[in-house]
Amino acid sequence: MQLLRFTFENHRSFRDEATLDLTRPTLKTLRPSKGTTWADHIHHVDGIYGANASGKTNVLDALHYMLGAIGSSATSWLEKPQFPRAPFALIPGQMTAPATFELEFIVSGKRYAYRFATDADGVTEESLHVVSTRWKEVFVRNADGRVKGLKRIPHVARRELALSRAAQFNHETVTPIWEALMRRFDLYHVGDDEVNARLGRIARQLQERSLRLDDLVTLAQIADTGITNIEVEEHAIPPQLARLITHMLTPTADDVQDEQPDQSSEEERDLSNFIARNLFFRHGTNSGRLRHSDESTGTMAWLALGTAVVSALRNGRVLVVDELGSSLHPQLSHLIIDWFEDPSVNTTGAQLVFTSHDMTLLDAGRGDREKREQVWFVEKDSDGVSELFNLADFPLQKGSNIVKQYLEGRFGGVPYTVPSLIHKLLNPRTGEEE
């Protein structure tokens, strides 16, 4: 799967329409020209830069919201008291205005465009188109939930997407599209919670043998962490503890009294079979083991993100990373980008979209046109409205020092600091006298 464009409007700090375009200007027709492939006409890496609170993470959040709606609007979202949405909140009227989301992407060599719009009550419009000789409608639905183009699904609820409902019925036409959108995107969020969740997944995959231990050790060695071996240790919950936990969760005292001491409930058996997995790391040949909590933050961040990178490169996924470089050495961040841009490594057409403060990551250097197309900025105006724009929009001379100009604020996307206010913080009386 390859991502071509993502367009959204009225989501969080983005009041107006914004488009993240991963296509190159060489793509002038609906399909690649003769002798070329999609890989020749798309970016495999795009970076989004901006000051803190400018809204760059909200670009990724809009994508996360869209994928969440596709995956859950016909299931868990129906149980929520209100239809989930996050419109621009600083203008009262904007809270009730429609929000729109659109993806253009490639699945199995075909180009698709999927779009939907929402308001406070649910979905107001939805459509899926595919390129044949021109754009062709696959299905369309309106605000009343009436669907045209999907056999056996003439109507859906106001709060669910027709694509999501069709996937629940395993609809032969659109289920492969739904599965590609669900399985070919991987969103990696910044923070310790994400790292810990990924490490837990790694331990589970190692135990299930869906991830090879040698691969994880190799990943650790790439970063020169000093790790020579990794082990997974299991601890089954003792039956007595499982029984105690079950009794504590029993809703009434009568239920506990009715239960015979020698009987094991289904809940007890489930708890007894619960496995707590732990990763242990060895350094050198004769050293003892260290728990992951004893390893450096950078090492754990590398393993967590590195496994996501390898999975994306192996399976042709779109990896979306918030704050690439957080807790990582800059050389490792550069290495990840190099892998995605190297066709001998990235043989599946995988893509990386990231946010960062490090302008050097994409090696925009001194004005290479193709590199400029891969650099995006987000800036927020005085009304709190974020705008997404591309470095290639600026008239730059060949040889321009882009990094220097960015740091000087030539392109926006940098904070406008007031360092002199430190005196007010250190000397409160000064502010009172003024």
Side-chain angles (χ1 to χ4, degrees):
M1 174 178 174
Q2 287 86 38
L3 175 62
L4 301 182
R5 294 185 184 90
F6 172 53
T7 301
F8 65 99
E9 180 180 2
N10 193 24
H11 183 81
R12 296 201 181 276
S13 62
F14 283 87
R15 181 191 62 191
D16 306 319
E17 184 177 274
T19 298
L20 180 67
D21 191 342
L22 276 66
T23 64
R24 298 193 182 280
T26 55
L27 186 63
K28 301 181 182 300
T29 56
L30 293 178
R31 291 181 292 185
S33 55
K34 187 176 181 180
T36 65
T37 66
W38 285 111
D40 298 319
H41 302 287
I42 63 173
H43 303 157
H44 293 287
V45 180
D46 271 47
I48 305 172
Y49 300 87
N52 291 329
S54 62
K56 60 183 185 296
T57 296
N58 289 339
V59 178
L60 310 187
D61 187 81
L63 178 59
H64 183 262
Y65 173 85
M66 184 175 190
L67 294 174
I70 294 170
S72 304
S73 65
T75 53
S76 61
W77 278 26
L78 295 178
E79 301 173 1
K80 297 180 181 293
Q82 294 181 325
F83 183 75
R85 63 195 305 262
F88 185 80
L90 298 181
I91 299 177
Q94 204 69 22
M95 293 290 290
T96 57
T100 60
F101 303 86
E102 182 173 356
L103 279 173
E104 277 191 52
F105 53 94
I106 308 300
V107 172
S108 300
K110 292 185 178 181
R111 182 174 182 173
Y112 293 90
Y114 176 67
R115 167 189 170 89
F116 66 80
T118 67
D119 62 13
D121 297 321
V123 182
T124 60
E125 63 174 277
E126 180 185 6
S127 63
L128 176 66
H129 291 78
V130 63
V131 170
S132 179
T133 54
R134 54 188 176 83
W135 284 111
K136 177 184 177 182
E137 182 183 283
V138 178
F139 77 83
V140 64
R141 68 83 65 81
N142 61 16
D144 295 331
R146 287 179 293 177
V147 183
K148 175 186 175 183
L150 290 180
K151 294 180 180 179
R152 303 188 305 278
I153 306 180
H155 190 274
V156 293
R158 179 75 156 85
R159 290 175 54 176
E160 64 181 357
L161 293 169
L163 179 59
S164 306
R165 175 53 59 191
Q168 296 300 308
F169 291 149
N170 197 26
H171 194 282
E172 62 277 7
T173 301
V174 298
T175 296
I177 307 303
W178 182 88
E179 290 179 344
L181 292 172
M182 292 297 96
R183 296 176 182 177
R184 298 300 179 182
F185 279 93
D186 186 3
L187 276 62
Y188 189 100
H189 304 280
V190 68
D192 293 339
D193 289 344
E194 179 78 9
V195 171
N196 290 332
R198 296 275 175 166
L199 291 175
R201 186 185 306 175
I202 289 171
R204 184 172 63 254
Q205 291 173 334
L206 288 172
Q207 200 63 42
E208 296 170 350
R209 300 185 184 278
S210 59
L211 175 65
R212 295 197 317 159
L213 185 59
D214 288 347
D215 292 343
L216 192 62
V217 174
T218 300
L219 194 60
Q221 292 172 343
I222 287 174
D224 192 25
T225 61
I227 293 172
T228 56
N229 195 18
I230 302 174
E231 302 171 5
V232 183
E233 185 176 88
E234 293 184 345
H235 295 288
I237 292 181
Q240 298 86 347
L241 178 59
R243 189 176 302 115
L244 175 61
I245 295 175
T246 302
H247 289 173
M248 291 174 61
L249 297 177
T250 303
T252 65
D254 292 335
D255 293 333
V256 178
Q257 292 172 0
D258 292 340
E259 190 174 24
Q260 297 300 318
D262 295 333
Q263 292 179 339
S264 295
S265 67
E266 183 177 350
E267 291 83 1
E268 287 178 346
R269 289 192 298 271
D270 290 341
L271 285 170
S272 295
N273 292 330
F274 175 83
I275 300 297
R277 299 182 175 92
N278 293 281
L279 290 174
F280 287 86
F281 301 85
R282 290 190 184 275
H283 294 252
T285 55
N286 299 317
S287 66
R289 302 185 307 174
L290 294 178
R291 292 181 180 275
H292 72 81
S293 57
D294 297 322
E295 291 286 345
S296 72
T297 301
T299 296
M300 294 299 97
W302 167 251
L303 291 178
L305 178 56
T307 51
V309 168
V310 171
S311 179
L313 291 170
R314 284 178 172 173
N315 300 291
R317 290 195 176 105
V318 181
L319 178 61
V320 182
V321 181
D322 194 14
E323 298 294 354
L324 179 64
S326 177
S327 301
L328 290 183
H329 191 281
Q331 287 188 355
L332 295 179
S333 299
H334 280 280
L335 185 61
I336 291 172
I337 290 173
D338 289 343
W339 286 342
F340 277 89
E341 294 199 315
D342 185 346
S344 67
V345 176
N346 185 5
T347 60
T348 62
Q351 293 170 285
L352 171 66
V353 178
F354 66 89
T355 66
S356 179
H357 294 290
D358 186 355
M359 186 64 184
T360 68
L361 285 179
L362 275 174
D363 194 25
R366 296 189 174 274
D368 183 277
R369 176 70 190 183
E370 290 188 359
K371 291 295 183 183
R372 277 189 270 163
E373 295 168 3
Q374 297 170 241
V375 178
W376 298 83
F377 300 115
V378 175
E379 190 168 42
K380 186 180 290 185
D381 65 17
S382 58
D383 293 325
V385 178
S386 293
E387 179 186 4
L388 177 69
F389 50 96
N390 192 256
L391 177 60
D393 296 336
F394 292 86
L396 297 172
Q397 297 180 352
K398 188 175 181 179
S400 299
N401 191 328
I402 292 175
V403 175
K404 181 175 181 291
Q405 292 180 7
Y406 169 70
L407 295 176
E408 292 173 348
R410 301 282 185 91
F411 314 121
V414 294
Y416 296 99
T417 58
V418 189
S420 61
L421 289 179
I422 188 64
H423 298 294
K424 183 176 180 180
L425 292 174
L426 299 178
N427 302 288
R429 293 182 180 181
T430 302
E432 294 175 1
E433 292 173 359
E434 292 177 355

